[in-house]
Amino acid sequence: MTPRGLGVNSSLSEASALGNMSTADTKKAMAEAQVAVQIYTEYFGEASYKRLAITQQPAPNFGQSWPGLVYLPITYFLDSTARKAFGASADRLGFFTIVGPHEIAHQWWGHTVGFQSYRDQWISEGFAEMSASIFIQLIQSQKNLDPYHKFWADERFLLNREDNQRKKAYETGPVTLGYRLVNGKSGGSVPRLLIYPKGGYILQMVRYMLRNERSNDPDVDFKRMMREFVKKYTNQVASTEDFKAVLEKYMTSEMDLGGNHKMDWFFDEYVYGTDYPKYKFEHSFKADGNGDTIVHFKLTQSNVSENFRMLVPLYVETTDGRVIRLGGARLTGNNSIEQDFPLKGLQGKPKRLVAAYYDDVLGDFENK
Ligand SMILES: [Zn+2]
């Protein structure tokens, strides 16, 4: 069960016309579900449930997923005029965009693969949230990646919201404390502000660390890993450490920041820890003696603990719109790395360099 309380205000606005009040048109929901099931099956393998029913529920501000059944909020089926009459006009933080793909993804996360305890529930919510971003990237971002970037910008916005203690959501506690973080001091909004977006980011970083640019399908290794995880834990419960063990089978040498072929460094920082890094990236181009382009860059990591390590992917965008991963910059603690880097063999002209172009690192980025 997965409420997404985004606070749709249900007070009736006097001035607005009511619009079409029918909630009987399920074409959009059906189409969305068919495409989402196809995408998730490709990424995660078969779900346990071969049949999926989608229907409305009276609650206006959240959906729910059950095995083989998804409830969408009644507001989802209203047109924008009717939503406005209910004070739910603004697609606040992309609620109406995400709610379908998120709830459908729970057929995998939560239902096909269960979670062992409340400490592992972030897998269900976080993975469902990240699955929605794959849907948004593949279906709604075909013209450009704006909807995809907006999705992740919204997730960062939530993580930076303050709880009742005036702490940023990311400071409230690690995702593995789960719903225990809800108490009189922190307030009830912590799961939505922390567990969904941060859990989503954890899997997002895994996806892009496994990105294989040599393959026609850069997600090929990520898909293999996810399918193995799903297959192994179908109709069973999985723990945080179970997921880590499967990931360690697939990790590349570049991901081995700890030098022990373990993902301890990553889990200690993001899953069991509360750091939220900030990055500043500056760069400029110059030509060397042979007319080749050299890029000069400086990347600064701040707002982290002393031993916090990260591999920040750097991408070059060419003037003809291609985006190519150049490599990863390793940083430890509150530190900078500054370097000249020859862009040899690059096809096309470089337009700019971008750190974490795909929103593939948790944290706030200033790209210059
Ligand atoms: Zn959910």
Side-chain angles (χ1 to χ4, degrees):
M1 195 163 69
T2 52
R4 274 187 65 99
L6 285 186
V8 174
N9 177 359
S10 59
S11 67
L12 198 69
S13 155
E14 287 169 31
S16 41
L18 277 181
N20 179 11
M21 297 298 289
S22 167
T23 59
D25 187 354
T26 55
K27 278 203 283 297
K28 179 173 171 274
M30 286 300 295
E32 203 169 77
Q34 276 165 353
V35 175
V37 165
Q38 237 174 48
I39 291 173
Y40 299 158
T41 305
E42 163 70 16
Y43 271 80
F44 311 134
E46 296 286 333
S48 297
Y49 310 95
K50 303 301 165 219
R51 197 176 165 276
L52 178 64
I54 308 260
T55 189
Q56 311 109 333
Q57 69 172 1
N61 58 344
F62 63 92
Q64 289 181 70
S65 195
W66 306 88
L69 171 66
V70 164
Y71 284 159
L72 291 173
I74 196 149
T75 45
Y76 175 98
F77 299 88
L78 299 172
D79 64 21
S80 55
T81 313
R83 278 183 196 160
K84 197 173 175 195
F86 283 102
S89 61
D91 193 357
R92 201 168 151 226
L93 295 172
F95 174 67
F96 294 110
T97 310
I98 304 163
V99 66
H102 174 109
E103 298 304 340
I104 292 160
H106 275 302
Q107 295 302 307
W108 281 259
W109 314 123
H111 299 323
T112 295
V113 179
F115 44 89
Q116 198 170 76
S117 84
Y118 72 90
R119 288 187 176 265
D120 313 298
Q121 193 169 358
W122 71 272
I123 292 180
S124 168
E125 289 306 347
F127 285 23
E129 194 75 352
M130 190 278 189
S131 304
S133 98
I134 297 178
F135 179 91
I136 290 169
Q137 181 181 21
L138 297 184
I139 302 306
Q140 285 159 5
S141 306
Q142 286 171 0
K143 232 191 310 173
N144 61 55
L145 277 180
D146 291 355
Y148 169 85
H149 289 313
K150 183 187 178 298
F151 171 90
W152 289 108
D154 287 346
E155 302 291 75
R156 292 192 294 276
F157 171 79
L158 291 169
L159 282 163
N160 277 285
R161 291 269 290 274
E162 287 182 345
D163 67 12
N164 288 354
Q165 301 169 96
R166 316 243 27 200
K167 276 187 186 170
K168 303 257 193 198
Y170 66 76
E171 295 171 313
T172 310
V175 288
T176 46
L177 276 184
Y179 283 71
R180 264 178 73 185
L181 291 171
V182 176
N183 57 48
K185 278 186 178 168
S186 63
S189 55
V190 170
R192 179 63 196 111
L193 300 185
L194 175 73
I195 298 170
Y196 289 41
K198 194 172 176 192
Y201 251 114
I202 291 166
L203 189 62
Q204 167 79 345
M205 287 190 278
V206 165
R207 177 187 176 197
Y208 279 94
M209 283 193 284
L210 289 173
R211 187 176 168 86
N212 182 343
E213 297 238 353
R214 290 184 307 276
S215 170
N216 286 335
D217 174 10
D219 281 327
V220 60
D221 297 329
F222 174 70
K223 288 175 185 170
R224 270 196 203 122
M225 191 267 298
M226 294 305 282
R227 286 184 204 147
E228 177 169 335
F229 176 61
V230 169
K231 202 170 172 192
K232 193 165 179 190
Y233 293 99
T234 288
N235 296 335
Q236 293 181 56
V237 292
S239 70
T240 301
E241 289 294 318
D242 290 334
F243 176 67
K244 179 168 170 275
V246 175
L247 174 59
E248 282 170 350
K249 263 185 75 176
Y250 287 85
M251 68 186 278
T252 63
S253 52
E254 195 190 42
M255 290 160 74
D256 194 6
L257 297 198
N260 56 357
H261 208 74
K262 297 267 177 204
M263 288 301 283
D264 295 349
W265 68 272
F266 180 79
F267 277 68
D268 289 347
E269 290 171 9
Y270 296 104
V271 181
Y272 300 116
T274 58
D275 277 303
Y276 184 89
K278 293 184 195 291
Y279 294 95
K280 189 173 177 187
F281 183 64
E282 298 159 278
H283 76 286
S284 57
F285 294 117
K286 58 186 178 188
D288 70 2
N290 307 320
D292 285 326
T293 305
I294 308 260
V295 64
H296 176 82
F297 75 83
K298 185 180 178 187
L299 177 67
T300 305
Q301 176 173 269
S302 62
N303 200 40
V304 293
S305 355
E306 202 184 325
N307 297 319
F308 185 93
R309 280 171 287 195
M310 192 51 197
L311 183 72
V312 179
L314 303 181
Y315 297 87
V316 60
E317 186 179 359
T318 59
T319 46
D320 58 357
R322 285 172 306 125
V323 176
I324 301 146
R325 190 182 191 276
L326 290 177
R330 280 185 183 214
L331 283 158
T332 304
N334 297 296
N335 246 316
S336 291
I337 176 172
E338 192 165 4
Q339 231 176 300
D340 277 346
F341 191 88
L343 290 178
K344 266 206 158 140
L346 178 75
Q347 297 191 343
K349 278 189 77 161
K351 185 176 150 199
R352 59 171 185 151
L353 241 66
V354 188
Y357 175 83
Y358 290 103
D359 301 286
D360 37 357
V361 174
L362 173 72
D364 291 340
F365 275 83
E366 193 186 329
N367 268 299
K368 279 190 178 168

